[in-house]
Structure formats: structure tokens, C-alpha cells
Amino acid sequence: MNKQARNESEIFDDLANLCTSSGYAHAIAYFCFRDNTLRFNGENVSIQDVLKQFSSNRLIRTEASILIGLMYTKEIDLSIPEPRIIQGYIDKTESLLEEIHHSMMLPIMSDLVSKVSKDRDFNPFKNGSALREAIFYGGESAYDFQYLELSIKKYSKDNDWFVNNKGYSIYEACKVVSAITDFQIDKINQVFQALINKDPKEWSILPAFMFNAEEISNISGIDSIIVRSVIESFTVPTANRNESFLAIDDFNLTNAYPIIQIEDSSYLLFQSYSLMEALYETPFFWFNDDNSYRNIAMKHRGDFTEEFSADRLKTVFGNHRVFTNIDIFDSKNNKLGEIDVLVVFANRAIILQAKSKKLTIPARKGNDQFLQDDFKKAIQNAYDQGFSCANFLLDDEYRLCNSESHSLKVTRNFKEIYIFCVVSDHYPALSFQSRQFLNYSTTNIVMSPFVIDVFSLDVITEMLQTPLHFLSYIKRRTEYANRIISTHELTILSYHLSYNLWIDSEYNQMILEDDISADLDLAMMTRRKNIAGIATPEGILTKFKDTTVGKIIQDIELLEQPKTIDLGFMLLRLSGNTVEEMSEGIRIIAKSSNTDGNLHNLIMTIDEETTGLIIHCNNSPIHICRSQLKKHCEQRKYTERLQKCFGICLDPQNLQIKFLLDLDYEWEFSDKKEAAVKNLPNLQDMMPFASKSISQGKVGRNKPCPCGSGKKYKKCCIKH
């Protein structure tokens, strides 16, 4: 209780004094080695290896950055203290950081105690001071390799400025930064192995974080003069000792310039992640100081956000479905709005509005006015623009034109429109702030907004590479917008990849812990860093592989018919067991149809028996098949009192889709239909694989668990 009662500034002062102690750099090196290094045995990285990075005892990068920034406020003494002194530094640091965290929670707890009793709807997180904790401890926006990859794209149009003002190209800068990272990884292994033969009094991992320009030049193949220019661009100025860093959310100079010069030719870098982030973000300040180039750089920055977003969406939907810079005009040729990126797939559309507003220092410090002003400029304005454009999009009276003033001819009869608000830079606690501040409306067609940064969009399009997979996730993600709590968007995506995102209607909220993203982290490192790991998490992307159901989904995407998109969404919600059973059922009816030449069918009811699916394997001509399937769907829809019934006619020889049906209307009693279905067999009495099969992600709490354990669902896999 005494620790919690201390003022945050007092704790910070104690931490500042500790960080400037003689030899404290060795304690920082220990933390950075312990908490930022992925260690594994053997050739492959496992999920268990990645999960170690989510230990509750681990310092997050923002905490380590505080230590580095405070250490730099005084002359740095690199002498090695005795082991007991270093251990004392470590223990005291962890204690003070924990105490600071508790002190940041005080405003939240105080509001809860004093106001919740009076107002049950009171939300303490609307208060800026409460959001400080979420902003500081929120997850990182990007993987380190994303900062490198996107820096080239972000600054490609500014390359001449880099050459003329810095003496190197953006491509050379990225190559040098990458080489520093690779060099430190190798050196960490070398230094760690060398400790075995050293006296414990000499144990320190600090040398692993040191390098010089010649070493980096040798492994990068870039001239040492250019290498030195890149290094010095991100070296903290010796004339500035971070004097203004007086609180945890003050500007920390060592974040923007993470390299520390320790000798004339040697440098110290504790966190390579910080260097990659600085490469992506620090040039903004350089451009801003150049009055003649500032406006040009701002335009390039906006272009990057739009162009990168469009390029990533094209990898999913194809070039012909993604349009950029779409202007909307009324009948009098008045411009009413502009869509940065528009995606049209069948009867679904995505309106993406891009922004590049940063979160300012006063906002990070919890200033309500700055927080809401920053959010309005970064997110609210983008959403408001997107929402108005969505309504214009639904009305044929308004004309769509591309950047060349050519009319855009696309379907306007949309069933769902998704509004994406995308920011280009690290915007701390973006998902959390959106829940608190974003004012939005929904209609039967315009869904809840999806607020993300370019890094999340990059990962989502990397993992969900087909239109149906992508839209299926976005549909559920926006439907559950206010029911999922997570510190980072990628945690939700990772959950979806493993467990197929779905929330039972009886639950109001689902809270996802950060370690859920371990599968996704490993997959992205495997794909982008070429480490030996699992490139695709076990789950929705693997359960359809080499199955007949998976082939049907691929055919649905190729058909791109509005009436079949919902069928695709429904199939993607099926559990793994159901996919296997359904695929086996199709195999059996296809074999039977090929053997006797007759019609054979598979019937299922899904979504708590509100939706039916009838699959025909039929050798008859199309017009006969269509009549037979339509009649069967109408009859089963009536007998089972279904809201919707899908029909699929397959060629029994190659299992390709011949055509699809979609019946969607309210059930009504009919004497005529009663007579027509009088002799129709009861589903429960029919043979396996031609009978009723209720399957989907949704399972009753007291029903047997679909995993086959024999336990009730509430006692088994419901926790997943």
C-alpha cells in the first residue's frame, strides 16, 4: 500500500538516480538480452519459444526505453560493477517500474471507487489520465521487419532528399540498419558463449550491443563513409543530454535517436527494434525542419498510406477490384466526397480512408483536449468522410469518377459496406482509444468501422489472402466491435486464425490476452524473416486444405456472384469436424451418382437450424438439375421452417459447381406446400451423409463438445 501511495514523480526521480549509477548500462544490457532475445533449441522455432516473450516478468520495450533515456541524462560509466551490485540494480529497477505502473492505475481506481457507485454507466477510460496507462503499456504497432520493409515504400519518393541532405539513399539506410541488427544477433551468440570461460566478476552481455562502422560496412557491403553517415543520423546528440525527459510520457530523445556513441569509433545500441522504428518515423522531423520540403514530404506521406493500403488489398482482391482516389459528384457536378481506396467484390464494398496523424506528446500525457483533438484528426474525420461516402455510394444519382475523371462503372446494389480508417504511424492503444472516442453510426448495410494501422493491414492481407477469407473475418470483426477487448488488433486476428472468431450470444464481452498472438508472431517471422517455423497457424487456413469443401469455397470466389457470398461466409464458419464430415458426405454421394447415374444429395441445417444447405450430385442437363434443386430447397426450407436455404449442384465427376441457389425469405404456413411435402422423408430417418447434420462453430454449452472428448462443451473447448 505504501508503494502505491507514492507520487509517480517521486518514483520516477528514484528511477532516474538509479539509471545514472556507475555501470548501470550492464543492467540494461541484461534486461535487453533477457526480454528482447528469442532463444530456441534446435533448428526450428516453436510456439513455446515465442510464448516466453509474453512472460509477465518481462520488461516491455517502452520500459526499457525509459531506462536507456534516463541513463543518457548523465555521462555514461561503462565499468563493470560487482555481480551483487548489478543484481541490486536489476531488482531495484523491476521494483520501481512495478511501482510506477501501480501509480498510473491510481486515477482509474479512484474514479471507479468514487463515481461508479453513483453512476453504473460511468466509464473511467473516457478520462485522459486513465488512458495514459493504456497508451504506455499498449502493444507495439509493428513487427521490426515491417518497419524496414515499409520504410523503403514510405520514403521512396523522398529518396533524392536523402541523397542530397544525408549523403545516402533510403535503400542504403535500410540495408545498414538491417546489417546492424544481423551483426548484433551474431555477436550476442558469441558474447554469451564466451561467458563460460570468464570469471563471474566479468560477466556482462553489454559488449554484444556494441559495434563500429567498419564492422557494419564489412557485412553490408556498403562503403564505411556511407555507413557512418547512416549511423550518425540516428545517434543521440552529445550536446543534448535528454534534459527534458522528466516523466515517462515526455519526449525521450533516445527513442528518435537510439544509437549512443561511446568512443570515437564505437557505438552502443540496446534495442534494434528502436532503430528500425526510428528509421520509419524520425525522418518526419528532418523533413519538418526543412521549410522548402515540408509540404512535399507531407504529400508523399499521405500518398504512401493510400498507395500501400491499395497495394495490399490488391494482393487479396486483384487489381481490377481495387480503385483509388474516387471522387463523388452530384447531378450538378458538385464534388461531395472522396474515397481514398474503394474495393468492390460482388455485393460487398470496402471504403478505406487513410490518415497520417501522430499522437502528440500532450495527448500521451493524458491531456483530454489533445487526446480527443488528435483522435478527431486521425480517426474521427476519416470515419465521418467514409460514412458519408458510403451513403453516396448506395445512390445511383451520385457519380463516381477516378483520378483521370473517368466514370467508374461498378455495381451499386451493396449488401454490406465496410469502412476502414487506416493510419500510417504507430498510434498507441489505437483499438482501445477507438472504443472510447469514436462516434459512429450503422445501418442495415453500412457496418461498424474498422480502425487499424498500415502494419495490421499488412498482416491481415498476408494471412487472409482470398476475398472470402478476408471479408469473412472483417464481417465478424466489425459485428463484434464492442464485444472484444484486446490491447492489439493482431491478437484478435491470431485468435481468428486458430479458433475461427465467434462469440456466443449469451456473452457480452470477450477479453483476449496478448499471448494468443504467439502463433501469428511465429507465422509472420517464418514468412518474412525466413526463420524455420510454422508459416500457417493450425486453424481456419489449414482445415479446408485438400478438402472438397475447400474446393467449393474456391469455386465460389471464382464465380463472384452476390447471392453466393453468404454461402461462402457460412462454409468458412464450419468447424473442422464438420468440414471433414461434409467432404466425406460429398465424396459418397458423388461416387453413388457416378455408379448409378442418379441424383444423390446431402442435406444439412446450420446456424442453430435457421439455415439449410442442400448439395446435389446430378448428371442431368442443367435445366433439369436447376428445377430439381430449386424444388428440393423450397420443400426442405418449408419442412424445417428455415429462414434461408442454399443449394449447390455439383458435377459428380469433377465436383465442380454447376450452379448455386439462394432462397432467403420468411417462413409462412401454406396449405399448398403442406400437401407438397406430405410424403417427404423425415431427415432424422434418412441414411448417414444424406441426413440432417447440425454443425457450425456455435455449440450449446451443455451439448457434447465437437472435439470428441466426450465432455460437455462448457467443460471442454468453450474456454478457447
Side-chain angles (χ1 to χ4, degrees):
M1 293 298 293
N2 291 334
K3 287 185 178 181
Q4 293 183 7
R6 281 221 296 168
N7 185 281
E8 183 184 313
S9 62
E10 294 179 70
I11 309 167
F12 188 84
D13 289 343
D14 283 353
L15 187 61
N17 290 330
L18 177 64
C19 291
T20 54
S21 301
S22 175
Y24 185 79
H26 298 275
I28 295 179
Y30 165 78
F31 284 126
C32 291
F33 170 73
R34 185 192 72 180
D35 300 332
N36 295 340
T37 305
L38 179 62
R39 297 181 292 278
F40 58 96
N41 295 318
E43 297 182 357
N44 295 336
V45 180
S46 69
I47 296 298
Q48 287 68 34
D49 295 324
V50 179
L51 281 171
K52 295 173 185 175
Q53 299 298 106
F54 295 92
S55 168
S56 59
N57 296 323
R58 175 180 177 266
L59 299 193
I60 61 173
R61 190 181 66 87
T62 48
E63 290 177 311
S65 295
I66 288 179
L67 309 182
I68 298 166
L70 289 176
M71 179 192 69
Y72 192 73
T73 58
K74 298 288 178 63
E75 196 70 32
I76 301 174
D77 179 1
L78 297 181
S79 60
I80 303 179
E82 295 181 11
R84 62 176 182 83
I85 294 178
I86 295 179
Q87 187 61 52
Y89 289 163
I90 293 169
D91 295 340
K92 185 63 175 176
T93 299
E94 291 179 326
S95 175
L96 288 172
L97 287 173
E98 183 179 1
E99 193 176 357
I100 283 180
H101 192 183
H102 286 310
S103 71
M104 292 180 73
M105 294 294 292
L106 282 176
I108 306 173
M109 301 308 298
S110 176
D111 279 346
L112 281 174
V113 172
S114 63
K115 296 180 180 179
V116 169
S117 59
K118 300 176 184 177
D119 181 6
R120 294 183 63 184
D121 296 325
F122 171 72
N123 181 359
F125 296 104
K126 289 285 187 180
N127 184 293
S129 60
L131 278 171
R132 287 182 67 234
E133 193 271 347
I135 290 171
F136 182 78
Y137 291 98
E140 304 287 357
S141 281
Y143 294 112
D144 54 0
F145 50 84
Q146 284 183 298
Y147 278 131
L148 276 178
E149 294 170 3
L150 271 65
S151 289
I152 293 178
K153 300 176 186 295
K154 184 179 183 181
Y155 296 119
S156 61
K157 294 181 180 180
D158 302 304
N159 194 56
D160 288 345
W161 187 95
F162 277 92
V163 173
N164 295 331
N165 291 270
K166 291 294 182 179
Y168 53 80
S169 69
I170 183 60
Y171 310 100
E172 289 170 326
C174 289
K175 194 169 183 179
V176 169
V177 169
S178 179
I180 292 173
T181 302
D182 293 341
F183 177 80
Q184 287 196 324
I185 291 173
D186 290 339
K187 197 170 181 182
I188 284 174
N189 290 325
Q190 295 169 13
V191 171
F192 185 71
Q193 289 295 324
L195 294 181
I196 298 173
N197 299 318
K198 285 191 174 184
D199 187 291
K201 292 183 179 180
E202 298 178 340
W203 281 359
S204 174
I205 201 72
L206 182 63
F209 299 99
M210 297 178 182
F211 61 92
N212 60 51
E214 287 68 29
E215 290 170 327
I216 305 306
S217 176
N218 289 336
I219 66 170
S220 67
I222 297 177
D223 186 272
S224 60
I225 295 176
I226 294 177
V227 169
R228 187 178 293 276
S229 295
V230 175
I231 292 172
E232 290 178 351
S233 293
F234 297 97
T235 297
V236 61
T238 54
N240 186 332
R241 278 290 170 183
N242 220 9
E243 293 91 350
S244 61
F245 187 42
L246 303 174
I248 65 169
D249 34 30
D250 281 338
F251 176 68
N252 182 353
L253 191 63
T254 60
N255 283 336
Y257 301 93
I259 298 175
I260 299 172
Q261 187 167 2
I262 51 176
E263 296 174 358
D264 289 341
S265 60
S266 295
Y267 300 90
L268 178 62
L269 174 65
F270 284 109
Q271 300 189 106
S272 60
Y273 184 102
S274 295
L275 178 58
M276 296 184 198
E277 183 181 36
L279 175 65
Y280 184 85
E281 296 195 344
T282 299
F284 166 82
F285 301 103
W286 302 341
F287 299 152
N288 203 46
D289 289 338
D290 186 340
N291 293 333
S292 64
Y293 195 74
R294 182 185 303 154
N295 292 335
I296 298 173
M298 286 300 293
K299 182 182 184 306
H300 290 171
R301 193 172 167 209
D303 290 345
F304 157 74
T305 313
E306 294 178 21
E307 292 169 4
F308 179 79
S309 298
D311 288 344
R312 291 308 301 169
L313 289 170
K314 286 176 182 177
T315 65
V316 176
F317 294 95
N319 293 354
H320 62 293
R321 301 189 186 102
V322 180
F323 312 93
T324 57
N325 298 316
I326 303 301
D327 294 326
I328 304 175
F329 297 92
D330 63 14
S331 58
K332 297 180 180 180
N333 213 36
N334 296 311
K335 184 177 176 179
L336 303 178
E338 179 182 351
I339 300 173
D340 292 337
V341 183
L342 173 66
V343 180
V344 177
F345 182 78
N347 59 352
R348 263 66 175 186
I350 295 172
I351 292 175
L352 186 149
Q353 302 298 122
K355 295 293 180 183
S356 53
K357 176 73 176 68
K358 290 177 176 288
L359 190 67
T360 58
I361 294 297
R364 291 172 186 265
K365 295 172 74 69
N367 183 295
D368 287 334
Q369 181 179 344
F370 279 91
L371 260 173
Q372 297 194 33
D373 185 59
D374 285 357
F375 187 86
K376 183 176 186 297
K377 293 175 181 176
I379 308 299
Q380 189 67 58
N381 289 349
Y383 169 75
D384 292 341
Q385 184 180 358
F387 186 77
S388 63
C389 288
N391 288 301
F392 293 140
L393 195 62
L394 291 167
D395 192 336
D396 289 329
E397 292 295 318
Y398 300 104
R399 184 164 49 91
L400 307 179
C401 290
N402 61 22
S403 57
E404 299 174 349
S405 299
H406 295 154
S407 293
L408 184 66
K409 303 298 182 183
V410 295
T411 179
R412 306 287 283 273
N413 186 27
F414 295 108
K415 184 172 183 178
E416 291 175 342
I417 297 177
Y418 305 99
I419 299 175
F420 284 29
C421 303
V422 179
V423 295
S424 62
D425 293 324
H426 175 43
Y427 200 95
L430 178 59
S431 175
F432 194 78
Q433 288 195 59
S434 297
R435 287 176 58 89
Q436 308 307 319
F437 294 137
L438 185 58
N439 297 315
Y440 65 90
S441 303
T442 60
T443 69
N444 291 334
I445 297 175
V446 182
M447 303 293 103
S448 298
F450 190 42
V451 182
I452 53 174
D453 52 39
V454 291
F455 310 109
S456 294
L457 181 62
D458 181 34
V459 177
I460 296 170
T461 54
E462 172 70 33
M463 302 307 300
L464 303 175
Q465 295 184 346
T466 69
L468 274 181
H469 271 291
F470 186 90
L471 289 173
S472 176
Y473 172 69
I474 300 305
K475 176 179 174 62
R476 278 179 270 173
R477 177 67 185 92
T478 54
E479 285 177 349
Y480 299 146
N482 293 318
R483 299 176 63 192
I484 303 176
I485 297 177
S486 172
T487 60
H488 201 284
E489 185 62 39
L490 296 188
T491 305
I492 304 172
L493 174 64
S494 187
Y495 179 88
H496 173 67
L497 294 175
S498 296
Y499 303 113
N500 214 346
L501 183 61
W502 166 79
I503 305 177
D504 193 300
S505 57
E506 68 179 289
Y507 298 112
N508 294 325
Q509 298 284 345
M510 179 167 71
I511 301 174
L512 299 179
E513 296 289 344
D514 290 349
D515 59 358
I516 290 173
S517 68
D519 299 81
L520 179 59
D521 293 348
L522 179 55
M524 287 300 295
M525 286 190 289
T526 303
R527 289 166 179 246
R528 297 286 183 86
K529 297 184 76 170
N530 296 318
I531 70 165
I534 302 172
T536 303
E538 188 72 24
I540 64 164
L541 298 179
T542 59
K543 71 179 180 181
F544 294 103
K545 186 178 180 181
D546 301 326
T547 67
T548 303
V549 176
K551 184 179 182 301
I552 290 174
I553 291 173
Q554 292 174 6
D555 288 346
I556 288 173
E557 287 183 312
L558 291 174
L559 290 170
E560 195 182 344
Q561 297 176 359
K563 64 182 179 181
T564 65
I565 302 302
D566 286 327
L567 171 59
F569 287 168
M570 184 194 73
L571 293 176
L572 286 173
R573 292 199 305 269
L574 296 176
S575 67
N577 288 341
T578 304
V579 169
E580 293 177 4
E581 292 174 4
M582 183 174 168
S583 295
E584 176 63 11
I586 293 172
R587 187 192 67 80
I588 290 175
I589 63 173
K591 181 179 179 180
S592 299
S593 187
N594 283 323
T595 299
D596 59 24
N598 295 326
L599 163 67
H600 292 271
N601 60 74
L602 171 67
I603 309 170
M604 306 175 70
T605 56
I606 305 172
D607 283 339
E608 294 185 327
E609 303 183 61
T610 63
T611 302
L613 173 61
I614 298 177
I615 300 176
H616 276 194
C617 274
N618 200 331
N619 281 304
S620 300
I622 288 287
H623 69 281
I624 296 177
C625 295
R626 190 179 299 277
S627 175
Q628 291 174 327
L629 183 57
K630 185 174 185 294
K631 178 181 178 181
H632 195 176
C633 287
E634 288 174 342
Q635 290 179 334
R636 284 301 175 190
K637 185 179 187 307
Y638 184 80
T639 59
E640 303 303 314
R641 302 194 174 197
L642 303 171
Q643 168 64 38
K644 180 180 291 190
C645 187
F646 293 108
I648 304 177
C649 184
L650 297 177
D651 186 319
Q653 294 184 356
N654 56 27
L655 297 182
Q656 287 187 339
I657 295 177
K658 297 171 77 171
F659 62 88
L660 299 131
L661 295 177
D662 177 8
L663 306 182
D664 188 359
Y665 50 84
E666 294 291 333
W667 184 91
E668 290 183 356
F669 178 82
S670 166
D671 288 330
K672 183 178 179 180
K673 291 181 179 179
E674 285 287 331
V677 301
K678 182 178 180 181
N679 297 319
L680 198 67
N682 188 294
L683 288 182
Q684 282 86 352
D685 296 333
M686 298 171 68
M687 295 295 291
F689 297 119
S691 64
K692 183 176 181 181
S693 177
I694 305 174
S695 282
Q696 202 236 2
K698 201 162 190 175
V699 181
R701 288 170 56 82
N702 292 307
K703 295 290 182 69
C705 186
C707 75
S709 65
K711 301 178 182 178
K712 290 184 178 181
Y713 182 50
K714 67 181 180 181
K715 297 289 188 180
C716 193
C717 291
I718 195 171
K719 63 184 178 181
H720 298 310

